[in-house]
Amino acid sequence: MLSSFLFSCKKSRQEPEQPPTPKESEVSFYKDLKIDSIQMLSVVVSFQLTKPAKIVGILTSLDSLSLVNRVEDYMKRDLVFRDNRYYGKIEWPYNLPPTNDNFWFRLYMNNEDGTRTYSPVFRQAIATYQIKNVNIVNGKGSFNKHPKDFFMNYEGVAIGTYDNSLMVEAVTSDVNSQNYKGTLNDVNVSINKVDLMVYPASHKQVVFDVPDDYPLGQAIFKLYHLNKLVLTQQVNIVNGGLLTKDQHVLNSSAWQSIFVHNNELYTFFNGFIPSESKFYKWNTDTKTLSTLSIPNFTLHIGNIDRAFSLNGIVYFPPANIRPWGIFSQYNPYYYKEVITTYELATNTWSEIELLNTKDINLDRGLDVLESFVIGDNIYSIIRETPQNTNIVRCVLKVFNVKDKSWKEYMELPNKLYKATVLDGKVYVLTSGYDVQEGATDTFKNEFMILDLQSKSFSKKSWISNKNAGTQKPYLTAFGNKIYVYGGQYSSGYSSLYSSLFAVYDPSIDKWSPVSGYSYFTAWVSQTNGFMLPINNKLYIGLGLDRYTNGNIYGSVRNFTISQLSIK
C-alpha cells in the first residue's frame, strides 16, 4: 500500500539555494497512481494525468528529506508513456545496502509560468529477497549451483550466470542458516547453506535442497527470516538436477571403458602399462565401490568409453595392434584387429582375433568412434586410415557374438557420430565443423534414424538454438525418450565444453529443454565420461569438466558419479 507523507524543511539542514516552491493544485495533476510490480530492489510506478502537460517526471531518493529540500534533480528517473499511462522504474543502487527497506518518490509537472507542481512524497516498501531463476530442479542446492568461475556457453553467448538450484538472493548481513526457513506448498525444505557473494558484499545467497521425490510443476515457495515471512514467489520444479554426488577412488585420467551388468556400474581404466590399469565395480544402492582383479598382461581396448555386457560376457571396443620401431626380420611387421572380452562369472580375460596380416596394404588403421548393440550384434562406427593411402573412410562394421564374424556393413559419411537405440531404432547424432573464427572452430549437428535394413538415413528434427552445436556429447535412450548432454562447444584457441541438455520425444519428433526453458544446464562431466541408465535411474559422471577457457589440457576430470533427476 502506498503511504503519503509530507515533510517540512529542517532548519538545521543547510541548503545553498531554496528549491522552487511546491504549488499544490486544488485538483491534482495526476490520478490512478499504482505500483505495478515490486522486484529485487526496484518497483515500477505508473499513473495518469488529469490535464495535459509537456514535461512530467518522477524524483526518487533513498531518504525522504532530500525530496523536500531538493535543488538538483540528480535522482530524476525517465518515464515511458504507453496506453495513456506514464511508467517509471525506481531502482535502488545494487551495491548499496538499503535502510528500512523503503524508497521515497514524488511526481512533478512543469507549469507554463516556469514553476513546478509537485505531488506529496510517497514511501514504498521494496523487496530485498528474490529468486532469479524460477525453474528449480530437484536435488541438493549445492550440487546444482555452479562454481563462481564457471565458463560455458548459454543462450545469447551469455556465460556463467545461470543456476537451477533453489537459491534466494538476499540483501542481508545474516549468514546464520538457522535463521532461515523455506517451504514449497507449505512443505518444509531443508536449507543447504548461506553463501557470501563477491559483489556486492551486502548480498547473500540462501540455498535450499528440494527433495528427490518432490513432484514436478508449479509450487509456491515461501521464505521466512527469524520466523517472519519475507518472500512469497511462484516457482516451477523441473527435471535435470543432480540428486547425488559420489566420489570415485580414481585420481588419474587414464582411458576408460564403462558398462552396466546386473544394475552395477563397471569401470575399467586402461593405463599405459598393465600395472597402471584399474578395474572397479560400483553399486548404486549401497554406494559400495569394489576393486576387481585384472591380468598382468597388456589388454588391447579401443578408445571409446563404452563396453557391452551380453550373456555374461563383456565385449570391449575393437582395437588395432602394430609393432613399434624399425621393421626387420627381428621385428617383423604385422597388423591385427582384436576384441578383448571378460567373463564375469569366472573372471576370465581373453582376446578375439578379428584380423591378422603381414600385408601393409591391409593395414586399415582402425579407430572406433561409436558402438551400439542390437540383439547378438555389436555395431561399431569405424574411421579407417590405411597406411598406404591418403583416403580416410568411415564405415559401419558388425561383430556377431555367436559366430565371431567381423564384417563391413556399410560406408558412412566422414563425420563424428554418437548413437543410441530406442525401440529397436538406431538414432545417430552427427557432428561436423560449422564456423571458424580466428583459430576457434564451432560445430553443427544432424539428428537422424539409421535404417539398418535399407542402409539409409532419415533426417529428424534437431535443436534450432544457435549455440546448440556440439561434438562428442552423451546420447542416451532412457524411458521412452532420448537425452543429449554436454559435449564440446568449440575447439582450438578458445575451447569450451557445451552445457547443452535436451530431451527428444520420438512420438512428436521434437527436442525440448530438460530444465525449464533453458537448453544449457549440463554443468558436470560434459564429455569423455558416461550417461547411462542403471536400475531405472539415469546416472552421469567420470568425465571432463571445463570451468575455464583454454585447450583440452586445461580440463578437469570429474571423478564423481551423480544421479540425474529425470521423471
Side-chain angles (χ1 to χ4, degrees):
M1 182 180 293
L2 279 171
S3 301
S4 176
F5 296 88
L6 285 172
F7 294 88
S8 60
C9 297
K10 290 187 177 180
K11 293 183 180 179
S12 60
R13 178 170 176 138
Q14 238 180 334
E15 297 289 346
E17 181 183 340
Q18 290 300 314
T21 303
K23 188 168 76 173
E24 298 293 337
S25 305
E26 292 183 5
V27 179
S28 177
F29 66 90
Y30 63 93
K31 65 179 181 179
D32 195 22
L33 178 61
K34 294 180 180 178
I35 297 298
D36 286 291
S37 70
I38 301 176
Q39 298 177 348
M40 182 70 160
L41 300 182
S42 70
V43 295
V44 175
V45 177
S46 73
F47 61 92
Q48 293 179 305
L49 293 180
T50 59
K51 58 183 179 180
K54 289 185 177 181
I55 299 178
V56 184
I58 183 171
L59 303 176
T60 68
S61 178
L62 305 184
D63 67 88
S64 60
L65 187 61
S66 63
L67 280 177
V68 179
N69 297 328
R70 175 180 303 286
V71 177
E72 300 293 336
D73 293 339
Y74 64 91
M75 293 287 280
K76 183 172 74 173
R77 302 294 180 182
D78 293 331
L79 296 177
V80 175
F81 184 75
R82 70 173 183 272
D83 300 329
N84 203 33
R85 294 186 68 82
Y86 285 92
Y87 293 84
K89 186 174 185 180
I90 306 173
E91 294 181 280
W92 192 289
Y94 190 70
N95 61 340
L96 184 64
T99 55
N100 300 321
D101 298 347
N102 288 311
F103 281 114
W104 280 265
F105 70 93
R106 75 189 314 183
L107 311 178
Y108 70 85
M109 64 170 283
N110 288 358
N111 303 305
E112 293 183 357
D113 60 2
T115 61
R116 179 179 284 182
T117 299
Y118 291 89
S119 74
V121 176
F122 295 100
R123 182 180 67 188
Q124 173 60 41
I126 61 173
T128 53
Y129 299 90
Q130 177 183 243
I131 297 176
K132 287 188 175 180
N133 180 19
V134 298
N135 292 296
I136 308 298
V137 295
N138 297 75
K140 288 195 174 294
S142 56
F143 296 164
N144 297 292
K145 179 178 178 294
H146 63 65
K148 64 180 180 180
D149 56 351
F150 196 70
F151 194 46
M152 302 288 289
N153 66 299
Y154 292 98
E155 296 92 342
V157 201
I159 291 182
T161 58
Y162 206 92
D163 282 285
N164 277 99
S165 59
L166 180 49
M167 181 180 70
V168 181
E169 184 172 339
V171 185
T172 180
S173 59
D174 190 353
V175 295
N176 187 348
S177 61
Q178 295 181 349
N179 292 336
Y180 297 91
K181 186 182 83 168
T183 65
L184 283 170
N185 288 343
D186 297 323
V187 176
N188 286 340
V189 289
S190 60
I191 188 167
N192 187 281
K193 59 180 177 177
V194 178
D195 272 347
L196 303 178
M197 289 182 63
V198 177
Y199 179 85
S202 56
H203 291 224
K204 309 296 183 292
Q205 293 175 333
V206 186
V207 185
F208 290 87
D209 298 334
V210 180
D212 299 359
D213 57 354
Y214 198 89
L216 303 182
Q218 293 185 344
I220 299 298
F221 174 75
K222 293 180 181 179
L223 176 69
Y224 298 83
H225 180 240
L226 297 175
N227 296 319
K228 177 184 176 183
L229 180 64
V230 293
L231 174 68
T232 300
Q233 190 166 344
Q234 182 173 289
V235 296
N236 189 34
I237 310 300
V238 297
N239 273 320
L242 300 177
L243 299 177
T244 60
K245 185 177 286 187
D246 294 290
Q247 189 68 40
H248 202 284
V249 296
L250 195 79
N251 57 6
S252 64
S253 56
W255 199 265
Q256 58 192 344
S257 292
I258 298 169
F259 62 94
V260 175
H261 178 75
N262 287 342
N263 289 322
E264 292 181 307
L265 181 74
Y266 288 76
T267 50
F268 177 80
F269 297 88
N270 198 12
F272 291 106
I273 57 177
S275 61
E276 293 178 349
S277 297
K278 305 292 182 183
F279 194 24
Y280 300 101
K281 179 178 70 173
W282 183 67
N283 186 286
T284 59
D285 294 327
T286 64
K287 310 296 184 182
T288 302
L289 187 69
S290 306
T291 302
L292 305 178
S293 62
I294 56 175
N296 57 4
F297 54 83
T298 300
L299 297 173
H300 301 101
I301 295 174
N303 56 348
I304 63 169
D305 298 313
R306 288 298 311 277
F308 299 98
S309 175
L310 297 175
N311 303 319
I313 298 177
V314 178
Y315 297 85
F316 289 88
N320 68 65
I321 308 172
R322 294 189 186 101
W324 291 90
I326 300 174
F327 304 133
S328 66
Q329 60 177 334
Y330 304 106
N331 185 32
Y333 171 84
Y334 64 88
Y335 173 79
K336 291 182 180 181
E337 293 176 358
V338 300
I339 286 181
T340 295
T341 65
Y342 171 67
E343 188 170 351
L344 291 107
T346 61
N347 193 32
T348 303
W349 294 83
S350 60
E351 198 169 82
I352 300 173
E353 195 171 88
L354 307 174
L355 174 67
N356 187 346
T357 181
K358 296 180 180 179
D359 186 352
I360 195 171
N361 294 316
L362 297 179
D363 185 333
R364 300 178 292 209
L366 171 147
D367 183 21
V368 183
L369 304 179
E370 179 64 304
S371 292
F372 57 91
V373 171
I374 297 180
D376 293 323
N377 291 323
I378 300 176
Y379 292 86
S380 295
I381 299 176
I382 305 289
R383 178 171 290 164
E384 294 182 344
T385 310
Q387 287 281 74
N388 60 346
T389 70
N390 294 323
I391 300 174
V392 178
R393 298 176 70 233
C394 194
V395 296
L396 179 65
K397 290 195 169 185
V398 58
F399 172 77
N400 185 276
V401 299
K402 288 187 174 179
D403 62 19
K404 307 298 186 291
S405 61
W406 175 238
K407 299 176 182 178
E408 181 173 321
Y409 192 78
M410 62 183 290
E411 191 160 357
L412 302 171
N414 189 14
K415 296 182 178 181
L416 293 178
Y417 292 82
K418 300 300 290 186
T420 191
V421 178
L422 178 62
D423 295 331
K425 296 179 181 178
V426 182
Y427 292 84
V428 297
L429 181 68
T430 67
S431 301
Y433 289 110
D434 184 18
V435 177
Q436 184 174 39
E437 296 181 2
T440 300
D441 293 299
T442 57
F443 306 99
K444 61 182 178 181
N445 305 101
E446 284 186 308
F447 185 63
M448 298 174 286
I449 290 180
L450 171 58
D451 189 328
L452 293 175
Q453 288 188 345
S454 64
K455 299 184 179 181
S456 63
F457 291 95
S458 58
K459 192 172 181 180
K460 310 304 287 184
S461 69
W462 178 239
I463 302 162
S464 60
N465 189 286
K466 67 178 181 179
N467 293 328
T470 182
Q471 177 186 240
K472 294 181 69 177
Y474 310 120
L475 188 72
T476 304
F478 180 66
N480 58 353
K481 294 181 174 63
I482 295 172
Y483 293 84
V484 63
Y485 185 104
Q488 191 170 358
Y489 171 68
S490 62
S491 66
Y493 178 77
S494 180
S495 293
L496 292 176
Y497 286 176
S498 174
S499 52
L500 180 66
F501 194 11
V503 57
Y504 176 75
D505 187 341
S507 67
I508 56 175
D509 187 28
K510 183 181 178 181
W511 287 93
S512 304
V514 172
S515 302
Y517 66 86
S518 175
Y519 279 107
F520 304 98
T521 56
W523 294 339
V524 297
S525 189
Q526 289 88 11
T527 191
N528 285 35
F530 76 94
M531 182 170 69
L532 291 172
I534 308 173
N535 200 17
N536 297 319
K537 299 174 183 177
L538 193 58
Y539 288 84
I540 193 162
L542 302 180
L544 296 171
D545 289 345
R546 171 62 55 75
Y547 294 151
T548 56
N549 196 9
N551 59 34
I552 190 79
Y553 302 105
S555 305
V556 176
R557 172 74 74 176
N558 181 355
F559 297 110
T560 58
I561 301 171
S562 296
Q563 182 190 343
L564 290 164
S565 65
I566 301 293
K567 299 179 182 177

